[in-house]
C-alpha cells in the first residue's frame, strides 16, 4: 500500500486542530492493516480461481497416455536378471505421464500376471525397471514383462509387452553321447594313429549357455555365454579283436581346435591277456574364462599298438560354473623337489593358481604346494596328473597321488591309475581323483603328493609334453542338496 500525500496532509491537519496524537496514530495503523488485508484477500481469490481451473482440467482428462514402445530386455538372462526392461517414454495430452508400472506375466495378457508380480508391485518414474523381490519363477518357463503408463488423472495406457524370457537352470549343463569319431573309414574304432574328434550323436543342453547341432559339426559343443565351465569326459573301451597285443586309448580336450594343457586323459590301457579286454579313460577339470562362440571338442587317439577298440557310449558333461560358486583352480608341472612324480618318497605337487576365491589362500612363490582352506565345510576335489616315460626300459612304472589335509590322507583320497607298461609303445598314463573332503576345518592345508607304487620300479616320470597336472576344489554349499557316501565292500563281500 502506498500512502498518498493527500492522506498524510489530512492526518497532520487533524493533529493541529487538537485531535489527540494517539487517535491519529491508531487511525494510521488501521489504514495500513486494511490495505494489507485487501491484498491477501485478492491473493487467495486468485489461488482459488487457479485451483478451480486445475480441478476442472483433472476432471475433464479422460484420455490415457500413449502405450510405451520399444520394450527391450536389458538384463542378462544367463545371470538371472531377465526381468530388467527398458522402453521409450509415452506421451500424454493432459497433465503428462506421472509414472510407469511393470508386471510379470506368463503370457502377453494381463489375466496371466503372476502372483506378486502385478502392476502395483513396480512403480517407476523413469523408463527402465527390474523386479528386485523373489517371485518364485520356474526355470524353463516363458515369461513376459508388461509395462503401462499412468498420467496425473490416473488414466492408464494400454500395456506394452516384451519378448519372452526364461530363468535358466541353477546349474546350466550339457550332456552329450556318441560311439563314433569323424574318421571316415572305421569311425567306431577309437584306437587310431591320428587323433579324431568324437561325434556326439545325442545331446541335451541349456540353450542359455550351450549350442549343439546333430547335423552340422556334431563333434563341437559351442559355448554361448562367457564364464568358467566344469568338464567331465568318460570313454568306456572294449577290444573287438583278440590278438594278444596291448592297446591303449587316450583323450584330449580341445577349445577352438587347440588342446588345453589340463585336458589329457590317458587311463585306457588294455593288457589283452588273462581276460583283460576292457578299460576306460577319463578327465574331470575346469575350463576357465571361456567366451561366447568358443567350442569344445574331445579327440581320441591310439597310445600303444594298433587294433580295434570301440566304445559302448562315450559321454561329455559340461556345466557352467556360476560366479557365486567358490572355486580354487591351479595347474602344475613338477613336484616341490623338482625330480618328477615316481620317486620312493612322496613329494607334493607345486601349483600355479589360475582361479582363487575367498574360501582359499595360495601363493605361487611361497610354499606353492600348500592350499589353505579359509572356511570350514565340505569340499569337492578333482585332480589329474598326466605322466610320461621318456625312455622306456621295459620296466613297469606307476605313480599314485594322495589328497592330504595337514599331511594326513583324507578318507578315500588316493588315485592310482597311472600304470605304464613300457612295452609296445605304451609310455604314458594319467592318474585321477574325484571325491569329497568332509568336515574340513578353517585353516587346514591341502596338498597333493605323488609317489611310486609300493611294488613298482621307481624312476622319474614327467608330465606329458604340452600338458599339466591340475586341481579344482569347490566349497559345497549347504543349499546344493548333495549326498556324499563312502564304502569299502560290495553287497556280497569285501572282495
Amino acid at each position: 500500500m502506498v500512502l498518498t500525500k493527500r492522506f498524510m496532509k489530512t492526518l497532520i491537519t487533524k493533529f493541529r486542530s487538537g485531535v489527540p496524537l494517539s487517535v491519529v496514530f491508531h487511525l494510521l495503523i488501521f489504514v495500513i492493516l486494511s490495505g494489507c488485508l485487501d491484498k491477501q484477500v485478492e491473493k487467495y481469490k486468485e489461488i482459488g480461481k487457479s485451483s478451480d481451473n486445475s480441478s476442472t482440467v483433472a476432471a475433464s482428462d479422460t484420455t490415457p497416455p500413449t502405450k510405451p514402445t520399444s520394450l527391450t530386455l536389458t538384463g542378462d538372462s544367463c545371470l538371472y536378471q531377465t526381468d530388467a526392461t527398458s522402453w521409450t517414454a509415452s506421451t500424454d495430452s493432459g497433465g503428462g505421464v506421472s509414472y510407469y508400472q511393470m508386471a510379470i506375466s506368463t503370457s502377453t495378457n494381463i489375466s496371466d500376471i503372476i502372483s506378486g508380480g502385478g502392476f502395483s508391485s513396480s512403480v517407476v518414474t523413469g523408463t527402465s525397471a527390474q523386479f528386485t523381490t523373489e517371485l518364485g519363477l520356474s526355470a524353463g518357463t516363458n515369461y513376459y514383462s508388461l509395462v503401462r503408463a499412468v498420467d496425473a488423472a490416473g488414466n492408464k495406457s494400454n500395456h506394452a509387452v516384451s519378448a519372452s524370457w526364461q530363468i535358466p537352470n541353477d546349474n546350466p549343463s550339457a550332456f552329450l553321447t556318441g560311439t563314433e569319431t569323424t574318421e571316415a573309414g572305421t569311425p567306431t574304432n577309437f584306437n587310431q594313429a591320428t587323433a579324431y574328434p568324437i561325434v556326439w550323436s545325442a545331446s541335451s543342453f541349456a540353450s542359455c549357455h550351450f549350442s549343439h547341432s546333430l547335423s552340422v559339426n556334431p563333434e563341437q559343443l559351442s559355448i554361448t555365454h562367457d564364464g568358467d565351465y566344469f568338464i567331465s569326459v568318460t570313454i568306456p573301451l572294449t577290444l573287438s579283436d583278440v590278438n594278444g597285443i596291448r592297446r591303449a586309448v587316450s583323450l584330449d580336450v580341445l577349445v577352438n581346435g587347440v588342446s588345453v594343457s589340463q585336458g589329457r586323459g590317458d587311463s585306457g590301457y588294455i593288457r589283452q591277456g588273462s581276460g583283460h579286454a576292457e578299460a576306460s579313460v577319463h578327465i574331470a577339470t575346469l575350463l576357465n574364462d571361456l567366451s561366447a562362440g568358443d567350442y569344445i571338442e574331445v579327440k581320441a587317439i591310439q597310445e600303444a599298438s594298433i587294433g580295434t577298440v570301440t566304445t559302448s557310449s562315450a559321454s561329455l558333461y559340461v556345466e557352467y560354473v556360476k560366479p557365486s560358486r567358490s572355486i580354487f583352480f591351479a595347474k602344475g608341472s613338477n613336484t616341490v623337489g623338482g625330480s618328477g612324480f615316481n620317486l620312493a618318497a612322496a613329494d607334493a605337487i607345486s601349483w600355479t593358481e589360475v582361479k582363487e576365491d575367498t574360501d582359499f589362500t595360495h601363493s605361487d612363490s611361497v610354499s606353492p604346494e600348500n592350499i589353505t582352506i579359509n572356511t570350514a565345510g565340505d569340499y569337492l576335489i578333482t585332480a589329474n596328473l598326466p605322466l610320461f616315460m621318456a625312455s622306456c626300459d621295459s620296466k613297469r612304472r606307476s605313480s599314485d597321488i594322495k589328497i592330504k589335509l595337514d599331511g594326513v590322507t583324507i578318507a578315500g583320497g588316493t588315485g592310482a591309475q597311472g600304470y605304464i607298461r613300457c612295452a609296445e609303445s605304451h609310455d604314458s598314463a594319467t592318474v585321477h581323483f574325484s571325491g569329497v573332503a568332509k568336515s574340513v576345518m578353517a585353516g587346514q592345508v591341502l596338498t597333493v603328493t605323488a609317489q611310486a607304487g609300493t611294488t613298482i620300479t621307481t624312476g622319474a616320470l614327467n608330465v606329458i609334453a604340452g600338458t599339466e597336472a591340475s586341481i579344482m576344489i569347490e566349497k559345497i554349499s549347504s543349499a546344493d542338496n548333495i549326498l556324499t557316501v563312502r564304502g569299502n565292500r560290495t553287497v556280497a563281500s569285501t572282495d
Side-chain angles (χ1 to χ4, degrees):
M1 175 183 174
V2 179
L3 300 179
T4 64
K5 291 181 178 180
R6 181 177 179 181
F7 176 74
M8 293 301 296
K9 184 177 181 181
T10 300
L11 290 179
I12 293 171
T13 301
K14 288 184 179 292
F15 172 70
R16 288 178 177 175
S17 65
V19 177
L21 177 61
S22 59
V23 175
V24 174
F25 177 75
H26 283 90
L27 178 61
L28 176 61
I29 296 300
F30 173 76
V31 172
I32 293 173
L33 291 176
S34 297
C36 291
L37 180 61
D38 290 343
K39 286 189 174 292
Q40 288 297 319
V41 170
E42 290 301 319
K43 179 178 179 181
Y44 285 123
K45 284 182 179 180
E46 291 301 320
I47 292 175
K49 290 179 182 179
S50 175
S51 298
D52 290 343
N53 290 339
S54 296
S55 299
T56 302
V57 170
S60 62
D61 181 8
T62 59
T63 303
T66 60
K67 183 172 70 173
T69 58
S70 304
L71 261 68
T72 303
L73 297 174
T74 57
D76 186 343
S77 63
C78 297
L79 293 180
Y80 309 91
Q81 299 173 355
T82 42
D83 58 325
T85 308
S86 66
W87 56 88
T88 300
S90 300
T91 58
D92 184 69
S93 59
V97 174
S98 294
Y99 56 89
Y100 295 89
Q101 296 176 317
M102 188 173 85
I104 305 299
S105 176
T106 55
S107 76
T108 60
N109 300 318
I110 290 179
S111 59
D112 294 318
I113 289 176
I114 64 172
S115 175
F119 282 117
S120 61
S121 301
S122 179
V123 177
V124 293
T125 56
T127 55
S128 63
Q130 179 180 350
F131 274 90
T132 57
T133 56
E134 176 57 52
L135 298 176
L137 305 183
S138 300
T141 299
N142 284 332
Y143 293 98
Y144 300 82
S145 298
L146 312 182
V147 178
R148 68 187 182 188
V150 183
D151 65 16
N155 299 309
K156 300 176 178 63
S157 72
N158 291 330
H159 67 274
V161 184
S162 74
S164 65
W165 47 267
Q166 293 186 359
I167 291 293
N169 294 318
D170 286 342
N171 294 300
S173 61
F175 183 66
L176 302 87
T177 58
T179 58
E180 298 183 352
T181 70
T182 58
E183 200 274 331
T186 53
T188 58
N189 182 15
F190 279 52
N191 192 41
Q192 304 278 355
T194 300
Y196 289 100
I198 299 172
V199 174
W200 306 113
S201 55
S203 62
S204 60
F205 53 90
S207 59
C208 185
H209 292 76
F210 305 95
S211 176
H212 178 255
S213 171
L214 297 178
S215 57
V216 180
N217 297 323
E219 72 278 13
Q220 298 177 2
L221 174 65
S222 295
I223 301 299
T224 59
H225 191 275
D226 298 352
D228 298 334
Y229 289 80
F230 172 77
I231 181 172
S232 177
V233 183
T234 294
I235 308 176
L237 302 169
T238 304
L239 290 177
S240 60
D241 64 323
V242 179
N243 58 15
I245 299 176
R246 298 171 177 87
R247 315 285 169 80
V249 175
S250 69
L251 68 84
D252 274 317
V253 176
L254 299 88
V255 174
N256 300 330
V258 178
S259 297
V260 296
S261 63
Q262 71 272 33
R264 177 67 169 234
D266 199 355
S267 57
Y269 174 78
I270 301 175
R271 171 61 182 90
Q272 192 165 260
S274 302
H276 185 225
E278 296 179 327
S280 59
V281 58
H282 313 270
I283 185 66
T285 190
L286 186 74
L287 301 178
N288 60 292
D289 296 332
L290 297 188
S291 300
D294 289 346
Y295 63 91
I296 299 169
E297 294 176 301
V298 179
K299 288 186 176 182
I301 189 171
Q302 166 191 316
E303 287 299 333
S305 300
I306 61 172
T308 302
V309 179
T310 61
T311 182
S312 56
S313 183
S315 64
L316 166 66
Y317 176 79
V318 184
E319 180 180 291
Y320 172 67
V321 178
K322 292 187 297 184
S324 60
R325 291 165 64 176
S326 183
I327 300 290
F328 177 83
F329 179 61
K331 301 178 185 179
S333 58
N334 214 326
T335 58
V336 173
S339 299
F341 298 97
N342 193 51
L343 304 181
D347 197 4
I349 299 175
S350 178
W351 300 111
T352 300
E353 69 183 56
V354 178
K355 180 179 178 65
E356 178 188 272
D357 287 329
T358 56
D359 288 311
F360 310 91
T361 298
H362 174 266
S363 171
D364 290 344
S365 57
V366 179
S367 300
E369 73 277 15
N370 293 338
I371 304 165
T372 301
I373 305 299
N374 297 329
T375 308
D378 298 340
Y379 287 81
L380 175 66
I381 304 167
T382 62
N384 188 59
L385 174 61
L387 299 170
F388 175 70
M389 185 67 187
S391 179
C392 272
D393 53 10
S394 298
K395 295 180 180 180
R396 299 166 178 84
R397 304 291 197 281
S398 180
S399 181
D400 300 344
I401 61 172
K402 296 185 183 298
I403 311 298
K404 298 180 178 181
L405 283 171
D406 293 342
V408 179
T409 304
I410 66 172
T414 299
Q417 311 90 341
Y419 177 75
I420 299 176
R421 177 59 184 88
C422 266
E424 296 175 4
S425 302
H426 186 240
D427 55 8
S428 61
T430 49
V431 192
H432 317 283
F433 172 82
S434 293
V436 174
K438 297 283 291 181
S439 303
V440 181
M441 295 183 292
Q444 286 193 284
V445 176
L446 188 147
T447 56
V448 181
T449 61
Q451 184 177 10
T454 55
T455 60
I456 212 75
T457 304
T458 59
L461 294 176
N462 299 312
V463 295
I464 299 170
T467 72
E468 294 176 281
S470 65
I471 185 169
M472 174 181 165
I473 312 172
E474 177 176 5
K475 187 178 188 301
I476 299 174
S477 168
S478 59
D480 285 341
N481 297 320
I482 291 177
L483 171 68
T484 60
V485 295
R486 299 193 187 106
N488 59 7
R489 56 171 293 154
T490 66
V491 174
S493 70
T494 57
D495 184 3

